[in-house]
Amino acid sequence: MVGQPGVASTLMGVSRTEQVTDNVAALGLTLPPEHRAALDAVSGGNLPFLDGLFAPAVRNRVVFGGSDVRS
């Protein structure tokens, strides 16, 4: 993800120290263009199911437990 247009940062999901070490080491990895193209070909495209996760009703249910929170 690092180096992709529009990506400002990445989040690491780790539960062990070794995973942090491995993830930090991976920051120095540069994929050859043909490998990146192959990954983009299978992971790109329209993912409409993700769009629904950010709809106001879903966000309200997930973040606020369905409560009506107003400022």
Side-chain angles (χ1 to χ4, degrees), residues 22-44:
D22 290 344
N23 286 339
V24 169
L27 291 172
L29 177 69
T30 302
L31 292 176
E34 62 272 13
H35 290 174
R36 182 170 289 243
L39 290 170
D40 288 344
V42 297
S43 63

Side-chain angles (χ1 to χ4, degrees), residues 1-44:
M1 292 302 301
V2 175
Q4 290 286 79
V7 175
S9 65
T10 56
L11 300 175
M12 294 187 289
V14 299
S15 59
R16 296 187 324 268
T17 306
E18 305 84 51
Q19 292 171 319
V20 174
T21 303
D22 290 344
N23 286 339
V24 169
L27 291 172
L29 177 69
T30 302
L31 292 176
E34 62 272 13
H35 290 174
R36 182 170 289 243
L39 290 170
D40 288 344
V42 297
S43 63

